[in-house]
Amino acid sequence: MTRTRCDRTLAWGELKADFDARGRAFNLSQAFSADTERFEAFSQSAPHVFADLSKNLIDARTQQLLLDLAGQCGLEQHRDALFDGAAINNTEQRAVMHWLLRKPPLAGVNKYSSPSFSVADQQLLEASAQVHSTLEAMLAYAQTVRDDPLITDVVNIGIGGSDLGPQMAVLALAGFAVPGKRFHFVSNVDGHELAQVLQGVKARSTLFLVASKTFTTIETMTNARSAKAWFEAQGGVDVGRHFAALTTNVAAARAFGIDTTFGFWDWVGGRYSLWSAIGLPLAIAIGAQGFRDFLAGAHAMDEHFRTAPLAQNLPVRLGLLDVWYRNFHGFTSRCIAPYHSALRRYPAYLQQLEMESNGKRVDAHGDAVPFDTSPVLWGEPGTNGQHAYFQMLHQGTDVVPVEFVAVKKPHHSLPDHHELLLANVLAQAQALMVGKSDAGGHKHFTGNRPSTFLLLEELTPASLGALIALQEHRVFVSGAVWGINSFDQWGVELGKVLAKDLHARLASGDVNGLDGSTAGLLARLQA
Ligand code: F6P
């Protein structure tokens, strides 16, 4: 696999020179005056998503240098390795194939019918067959739950990728959800969360979905044990009807006492698992056709990413812009501003996707990188953010690129709300860019603050699938340029080990060998 780390390419030096010569002083308003075609040149249609990139601090020359950078880093080869099922998660020796979960069944070819068919092809074919038989089983199960009027509450117990994806998507597609069922998401080991949900449900009408790729995560196991104990204490007996497990570790789920299981595979990363059995709450909410549409929207984006030339490839353009902002402008964060209240967990979902994938300080070989990687992602739905932190975005000392998401057609019929919402999202992007002069200082807006505008025709299963796949691939692009492994997450391990030790020490009171602060706090918590 040919991968060259960005700082070892010719283009990296050229971009540095370009930034010093022109990029630092780039002015958006001047760029629009100088180029009447700027909107067309810097906008891009991709499946289900239109993107206006024209309000970004970039021109044709910088974009070309960024594309050169992608070429010199071997982005296309790395992308091909992803879609070939190569073990690109090198620290865990795993393939990365969430895209296969949304690809229609690979059929009609086998090793006997084509002499060029390789062992790898055969493995993909077999993986695809497993994906689709599991999908069929899961969708059939989802249908039985949908058809069962006695199940009124579905409680998903999972954390990280086993929570954020399904929660975000169930909320986003609430307008498509089966009536008469409530969905709850319990992730935190903080018992307040589970206790509150249990207070509002009845054992006889609740289905618990224990979602965990590994089936070892302490938060999920603790919540699942407590939920099962509560269920039994309420007189619940039919665990088979009221508990299902979504996991790659079916044996552990069975040992836990759950026989209804839907599996997936180690080549699906936790934060990329929404398309697998982890998507069951969504499948129950929106049904088999809705879930298939969701997969199809994502697949259309996969095909765009896989085949479009880099210069017209939306995930590539977004990922390269991220590199430009992080490594040349030095911007440390990106604000995610979805102007649709149903997308309220979208910023949280993207935090895991990008920061767990690209929050790395070493490259794929384990060598420290001499440049910055993942920015901080944060945000809230508009217009709420406008009345909280947009002050800082407009007049603060840091420049924070904003990524807006707007949806053309609403899912309600209240007059004028949607027009006001759209006017606001347009106004914020405009104000960030054009600013406003005021000699007095306090009312002065510098403007020239960049933003990207993603536009969906409508928020549907297909468009949500495409939007999420777009985000997955843009994270892949920046990770590929940085030469890091975007598919492991060793950084979460240390805290888990220490928490286990401190859990025992909280019981025993032993502070031996602890640093002064942890020992002092532990003593206070024990007293
Ligand atoms: O701790 C991080 C992490 O491993 C995430 O990557 C993952 O999504 C989450 O924990 C939950 O893991 P699991 O699905 O195995 O319970």
Side-chain angles (χ1 to χ4, degrees):
M1 201 190 324
T2 343
R3 281 184 88 183
T4 306
R5 212 174 70 190
C6 52
D7 57 313
R8 297 177 177 146
T9 63
L10 205 61
W12 191 254
E14 289 173 337
L15 278 159
K16 177 87 184 72
D18 183 61
F19 179 73
D20 289 339
R22 302 166 336 107
R24 199 190 303 277
F26 186 86
N27 184 281
L28 277 167
S29 296
Q30 283 168 12
F32 272 98
S33 309
D35 179 6
T36 52
E37 309 287 298
R38 182 172 169 85
F39 178 74
E40 284 70 29
F42 287 93
S43 56
Q44 167 85 59
S45 287
H48 302 282
V49 184
F50 173 83
D52 172 21
L53 309 176
S54 66
K55 292 198 206 72
N56 281 296
L57 306 174
I58 187 172
D59 63 9
R61 166 147 173 81
T62 305
Q63 175 152 290
Q64 188 49 56
L65 287 175
L66 287 167
L67 291 167
D68 294 348
L69 176 69
Q72 291 169 22
C73 290
L75 173 65
E76 283 161 295
Q77 290 88 332
H78 195 49
R79 177 191 61 185
D80 293 347
L82 168 79
F83 286 107
D84 284 346
I88 62 170
N89 174 356
N90 65 311
T91 62
E92 297 176 302
Q93 273 309 305
R94 286 179 184 163
V96 174
M97 299 205 296
H98 44 275
W99 52 270
L100 190 67
L101 300 167
R102 48 230 192 184
K103 194 174 166 72
L106 297 176
V109 219
N110 64 48
K111 63 180 165 187
Y112 306 110
S113 68
S114 163
S116 63
F117 206 67
S118 65
V119 174
D121 290 334
Q122 185 63 27
Q123 282 167 351
L124 274 185
L125 196 63
E126 283 161 14
S128 170
Q130 286 177 20
V131 163
H132 285 277
S133 74
T134 307
L135 176 65
E136 294 304 329
M138 164 185 145
L139 294 181
Y141 177 77
Q143 191 57 46
T144 62
V145 177
R146 284 165 67 83
D147 291 343
D148 186 343
L150 300 180
I151 296 291
T152 55
D153 291 88
V154 177
V155 180
N156 190 79
I157 296 177
I159 196 165
S162 301
D163 164 68
L164 290 163
Q167 187 183 160
M168 175 275 297
V170 166
L171 286 171
L173 298 174
F176 295 80
V178 61
K181 303 225 188 280
R182 287 177 293 266
F183 293 84
H184 313 267
F185 291 85
V186 175
S187 54
N188 204 322
V189 74
D190 179 348
H192 294 105
E193 206 171 276
L194 178 62
Q196 197 188 8
V197 169
L198 294 180
Q199 248 172 35
V201 299
K202 294 195 167 48
R204 65 172 180 282
S205 55
T206 300
L207 170 65
F208 291 95
L209 302 175
V210 183
S212 175
K213 177 176 171 179
T214 54
F215 226 79
T216 57
T217 305
I218 195 81
E219 292 91 335
T220 303
M221 291 302 103
T222 305
N223 280 323
R225 258 192 310 274
S226 297
K228 195 151 163 272
W230 171 87
F231 176 77
E232 284 159 357
Q234 301 289 306
V237 279
D238 195 352
V239 172
R241 174 169 154 74
H242 291 276
F243 281 79
L246 323 173
T247 183
T248 59
N249 192 352
V250 168
R254 295 237 162 92
F256 182 87
I258 302 180
D259 289 325
T260 310
T261 59
F262 298 93
F264 59 108
W265 306 271
D266 71 0
W267 43 260
V268 183
R271 54 194 172 273
Y272 301 88
S273 62
L274 171 58
W275 324 95
S276 71
I278 293 293
L280 181 58
L282 180 64
I284 295 172
I286 65 174
Q289 191 52 51
F291 197 78
R292 286 187 197 285
D293 292 347
F294 177 64
L295 297 180
H299 176 63
M301 189 60 77
D302 291 340
E303 287 303 284
H304 169 75
F305 177 52
R306 194 176 67 80
T307 60
L310 299 192
Q312 279 93 47
N313 194 311
L314 185 54
V316 172
R317 294 176 79 175
L318 284 175
L320 291 177
L321 204 49
D322 296 339
V323 170
W324 177 238
Y325 283 161
R326 190 75 184 100
N327 301 121
F328 297 92
H329 283 276
F331 299 152
T332 55
S333 82
R334 179 179 341 124
C335 174
I336 306 298
Y339 274 64
H340 197 305
S341 65
L343 289 173
R344 59 190 171 279
R345 291 299 282 165
Y346 171 75
Y349 173 81
L350 292 187
Q351 281 177 334
Q352 187 198 15
L353 180 62
E354 187 145 345
M355 294 163 76
E356 198 173 76
S357 296
N358 285 348
K360 312 281 164 71
R361 53 167 289 282
V362 296
D363 66 18
H365 302 291
D367 299 326
V369 294
F371 48 79
D372 294 320
T373 59
S374 176
V376 175
L377 267 63
W378 57 282
E380 283 284 325
T383 58
N384 294 5
Q386 291 173 208
H387 299 274
Y389 48 74
F390 268 63
Q391 162 66 37
M392 180 268 194
L393 298 180
H394 288 292
Q395 289 189 316
T397 49
D398 285 270
V399 173
V400 179
V402 181
E403 190 161 288
F404 295 102
V405 181
V407 179
K408 193 169 161 189
K409 285 193 205 148
H411 239 254
H412 65 78
S413 52
L414 295 172
D416 212 29
H417 284 252
H418 202 63
E419 289 71 14
L420 273 169
L421 183 70
L422 293 179
N424 270 278
V425 64
L426 283 172
Q428 291 302 320
Q430 187 187 22
L432 285 167
M433 178 171 78
V434 301
K436 181 173 166 287
S437 286
D438 185 272
H442 293 292
K443 295 179 182 172
H444 180 76
F445 292 68
T446 56
N448 208 36
R449 300 196 170 207
S451 66
T452 294
F453 200 104
L454 302 179
L455 179 60
L456 311 181
E457 194 61 25
E458 204 176 338
L459 187 57
T460 62
S463 69
L464 182 71
L467 178 67
I468 298 306
L470 168 67
Q471 297 294 350
E472 288 178 350
H473 294 319
R474 72 102 69 88
V475 170
F476 177 91
V477 169
S478 52
V481 169
W482 289 327
I484 59 183
N485 178 2
S486 299
F487 299 101
D488 60 11
Q489 56 283 322
W490 297 108
V492 300
E493 294 306 321
L494 177 60
K496 290 183 189 174
V497 173
L498 296 182
K500 201 167 174 186
D501 172 56
L502 289 167
H503 187 216
R505 286 175 184 268
L506 270 170
S508 69
D510 175 15
V511 295
N512 254 332
L514 289 179
D515 62 86
S517 168
T518 310
L521 289 169
L522 194 130
R524 281 190 90 87
L525 285 166
Q526 264 222 322

